[in-house]
């Protein structure tokens, strides 16, 4: 398997989009607002300097990061195959020595690198929970494993929707239906 050329082409195409650099700011923004809100709510026993603040803030950061991974992971892969089909370049990809698994893995890894970059942007803001005390390194490891799992599943759903759909809106509807089916299938 050689997904390298597909990864390179996808990353080059994504780098030309003007909103990419602002996506990192948009990812860290809600966590900063959360920090300011929790820091001013010191009267509820969750003020800065207590162990409960660090734990509460870390848990809120993990939930927000998982939601971001779910949304951004699905949106990043929602149109990768459908766009190639729409533009007529999917047939050209199959003329190369790359097989279907190489193409899909390359598109999945390139999209994952972009979403991972957005998730890495929130690490400095989430580290404030460690500085305030409370969470342990084991908590961080479990949270990171869960977020990576959520990211992979959401990207797989977006890629499946993109492979089935031809237009972006139908891919979005199919991706939302797959996400809802996955949520209902787990028992709500």
């Amino acid at each position: 398997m050689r997904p390298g050329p597909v990864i390179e082409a996808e990353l080059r195409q994504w780098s030309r989009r003007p909103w990419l650099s602002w996506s990192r700011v948009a990812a860290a923004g809600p966590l900063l607002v959360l920090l300011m809100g929790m820091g001013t709510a010191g009267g509820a026993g969750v003020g800065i300097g207590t162990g409960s603040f660090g734990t509460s803030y870390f848990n809120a950061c993990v939930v927000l990061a998982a939601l971001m991974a779910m949304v951004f992971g699905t949106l990043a892969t929602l149109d990768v195959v459908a766009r190639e089909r729409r533009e007529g370049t999917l047939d050209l990809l199959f003329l190369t020595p790359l097989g279907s698994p190489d193409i899909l893995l390359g598109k999945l890894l390139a999209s994952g690198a972009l979403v991972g970059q957005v998730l890495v942007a929130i690490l400095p803001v989430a580290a404030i929970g460690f500085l305030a005390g409370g969470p342990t390194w084991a908590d961080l490891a479990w949270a990171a494993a869960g977020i990576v799992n959520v990211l992979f599943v959401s990207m797989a759903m977006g890629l499946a929707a993109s492979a089935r759909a031809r237009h972006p809106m139908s891919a979005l509807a199919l991706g939302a239906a797959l996400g809802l089916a996955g949520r209902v299938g787990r028992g709500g």
Side-chain angles (χ1 to χ4, degrees):
M1 295 194 49
R2 300 180 314 122
V6 177
I7 294 172
E8 181 182 348
E10 284 290 313
L11 289 177
R12 189 172 291 141
Q13 184 177 11
W14 277 88
S15 69
R16 293 185 184 109
R17 297 185 183 181
W19 52 266
L20 184 65
S21 61
W22 286 102
S23 65
R24 296 183 291 272
V25 175
L31 296 177
L32 288 173
V33 170
L34 176 72
L35 175 65
M36 288 187 288
M38 288 180 75
T40 58
V46 190
I48 295 178
T50 64
S52 63
F53 171 78
T55 304
S56 300
Y57 182 71
F58 177 76
N59 291 338
C61 287
V62 168
V63 168
L64 282 174
L67 288 173
M68 286 181 199
M70 187 172 19
V71 171
F72 290 154
T74 305
L75 290 177
T77 57
L78 205 54
D79 197 34
V80 292
V81 177
R83 184 183 65 238
E84 296 282 350
R85 187 180 298 139
R86 222 179 18 256
E87 294 173 355
T89 56
L90 189 61
D91 296 333
L92 295 174
L93 275 175
F94 286 125
L95 290 176
T96 64
L98 300 172
S100 297
D102 297 333
I103 294 169
L104 290 177
L105 184 63
K107 291 187 172 292
L108 188 70
L109 290 176
S111 299
L114 294 167
V115 177
Q117 165 187 326
V118 170
L119 290 175
V120 166
I122 68 172
L123 282 179
V125 181
I128 295 171
F130 280 106
L131 296 176
T136 64
W137 288 103
D139 295 335
L140 176 66
W142 282 108
I147 290 169
V148 168
N149 190 19
V150 167
L151 177 63
F152 179 74
V153 169
S154 66
M155 287 175 51
M157 285 191 302
L159 195 60
S162 178
R164 300 290 294 165
R166 193 168 188 88
H167 299 288
M169 292 309 288
S170 58
L172 181 63
L174 185 57
L178 283 173
L180 184 62
R183 179 72 180 144
V184 170
R186 286 189 307 128

